[in-house]
Amino acid sequence: MSKAIQELTILKEHLTKHNLKLTRQRENILTTFLKMEHVTAEHMYRLLAKKDPHIGLATVYRTLKLLCEAGLAKEHHFGTQTQFDNVAHKGHHDHLICTDCGKIVEFENCQIERLQEEVATRNGFTIKTHRLELYGLCATCRS
Amino acid sequence: MSKAIQELTILKEHLTKHNLKLTRQRENILTTFLKMEHVTAEHMYRLLAKKDPHIGLATVYRTLKLLCEAGLAKEHHFGTQTQFDNVAHKGHHDHLICTDCGKIVEFENCQIERLQEEVATRNGFTIKTHRLELYGLCATCRS
DNA sequence: CCAGAAATTGAGAGCATGAATCATTATCAG
DNA sequence: CTGATAATGATTCATGCTCTCAATTTCTGG
């Protein structure tokens, strides 16, 4: 649980820095969020509604966005849905995906990340996140 | 324009094979689609409405999906928007996406592609395709 | 501790994208 | 030509998320 306390501290610092307030709802959402690897806002809403039927959907959306701003969560779009990933559960990584057997290998490559920054700068962009997926055949499926 | 005729043939074959019919609307949408590298359904709708104010948005959505099924187009999700890419224009490119205004800049970077190959080889993979999207703020939205 | 300014909340309306409905119209095989 | 069947387009519906606003909560500083 010292982990959770650490994250609560990060949130508190973010709130203070931006003149925001720590509320019961924000604390609840953070606590629930930290227990999982990822959630959708809708799912989070249903979970919280069990304990506190008066929680508002808008608050869930707002708070999840807040957690992203505080660096504790990260948004990911999958088709129509948006997932919020718990950053603590995994550092950022990219994926190698086998189109045959579905195997997924995670990797990280600083050189690629550096080049991405370069491309962005050249186009006047400031990168916040990225997604890199390589699709192909793994060693087993190729033979 | 022999190129366009070729694509029209592909569409006709697909229609025949699935007992579908060739309509004026489908032909118009294909013709317009072939002129561009990518469109959203909404954008396509506005283009077509200039010539034929009675075109239905539903028809545009249905036909773009049809083009995907015929292998002439490919869907891509960017946040809330869905883009349809012209497969024939297929110089592969990656995307810089502004999370604020939705602006999309395409780029190509051989060095990144080479590093991707390297990562794949190291993991025993043979890459067929990839997807690289950089999310951030464009120059205008940052200021 | 308390007052009051300021942020936050929740309920519901609003909005955008895209899919489903259905009466009318167009296509095309025979 | 003609009839079966597919397609169209106007509209409604569904989803996912944001906005609005009155009421409530937080928290600063006196």
Side-chain angles (χ1 to χ4, degrees):
Chain A
M1 272 298 121
S2 67
K3 195 68 183 298
I5 287 173
Q6 184 190 328
E7 261 120 23
L8 183 56
T9 307
I10 293 175
L11 178 61
K12 278 183 184 166
E13 272 167 20
H14 178 86
L15 294 174
T16 308
K17 199 195 296 186
H18 293 80
N19 266 83
L20 305 175
K21 290 166 183 174
L22 180 63
T23 62
R24 178 176 49 79
Q25 290 90 336
R26 286 179 175 168
E27 218 170 322
N28 285 345
I29 292 173
L30 177 63
T31 306
T32 303
F33 179 70
L34 291 178
K35 288 184 190 147
M36 14 198 38
E37 203 152 327
H38 48 72
V39 263
T40 60
E42 201 61 45
H43 184 202
M44 170 70 82
Y45 176 64
R46 270 177 279 126
L47 286 175
L48 293 167
K50 285 180 193 166
K51 296 278 171 192
D52 174 6
H54 285 297
I55 187 87
L57 184 55
T59 302
V60 174
Y61 275 101
R62 283 185 292 231
T63 304
L64 285 173
K65 204 192 277 182
L66 179 71
L67 293 184
C68 288
E69 282 156 13
L72 295 169
K74 230 169 218 180
E75 256 182 298
H76 259 262
H77 296 276
F78 291 112
T80 64
Q81 286 214 306
T82 301
Q83 271 210 0
F84 293 85
D85 291 18
N86 185 336
V87 164
H89 269 266
K90 38 187 199 170
H92 174 81
H93 44 241
D94 298 312
H95 299 99
L96 260 164
I97 300 159
C98 179
T99 51
D100 209 50
C101 69
K103 181 167 134 189
I104 297 180
V105 175
E106 296 172 350
F107 70 90
E108 235 190 291
N109 187 302
C110 314
Q111 290 180 75
I112 291 182
E113 313 239 331
R114 196 172 42 69
L115 286 167
Q116 288 176 359
E117 283 295 341
E118 209 177 297
V119 169
T121 307
R122 198 158 47 230
N123 287 280
F125 273 68
T126 312
I127 298 184
K128 280 196 302 220
T129 65
H130 72 259
R131 172 202 283 224
L132 172 57
E133 286 157 11
L134 308 180
Y135 299 93
L137 293 178
C138 70
T140 322
C141 294
R142 195 174 47 240
S143 49
Chain B
M1 272 300 119
S2 67
K3 197 69 184 297
I5 288 173
Q6 184 190 329
E7 261 120 23
L8 182 56
T9 307
I10 294 175
L11 179 60
K12 279 182 183 167
E13 274 167 20
H14 179 85
L15 294 174
T16 309
K17 199 194 299 186
H18 293 81
N19 265 83
L20 304 175
K21 292 167 182 172
L22 181 63
T23 62
R24 179 175 49 79
Q25 290 89 337
R26 285 180 176 168
E27 218 171 322
N28 285 346
I29 292 173
L30 177 63
T31 306
T32 304
F33 179 70
L34 290 178
K35 289 183 189 147
M36 15 198 34
E37 203 152 327
H38 48 73
V39 263
T40 60
E42 200 62 45
H43 185 202
M44 170 70 81
Y45 176 65
R46 270 178 278 126
L47 285 175
L48 294 166
K50 284 180 192 165
K51 295 278 171 191
D52 174 7
H54 284 297
I55 186 87
L57 184 55
T59 301
V60 175
Y61 275 103
R62 284 185 291 231
T63 304
L64 285 174
K65 206 193 277 182
L66 180 71
L67 293 183
C68 288
E69 281 155 14
L72 296 168
K74 230 170 219 179
E75 253 183 299
H76 259 260
H77 295 275
F78 291 114
T80 65
Q81 286 212 308
T82 300
Q83 273 210 3
F84 292 85
D85 291 18
N86 184 338
V87 164
H89 265 276
K90 66 150 136 287
H92 174 81
H93 43 241
D94 298 311
H95 298 99
L96 260 163
I97 300 156
C98 178
T99 52
D100 209 50
C101 68
K103 180 167 137 192
I104 297 179
V105 174
E106 296 172 350
F107 70 90
E108 235 192 291
N109 188 301
C110 313
Q111 290 180 76
I112 291 181
E113 314 241 330
R114 196 172 41 69
L115 286 167
Q116 288 176 0
E117 282 297 340
E118 209 178 298
V119 169
T121 307
R122 197 157 49 232
N123 287 279
F125 273 68
T126 313
I127 297 185
K128 279 196 303 219
T129 64
H130 73 261
R131 167 185 188 152
L132 171 57
E133 287 156 14
L134 308 181
Y135 300 93
L137 293 177
C138 70
T140 321
C141 293
R142 197 178 42 242
S143 47

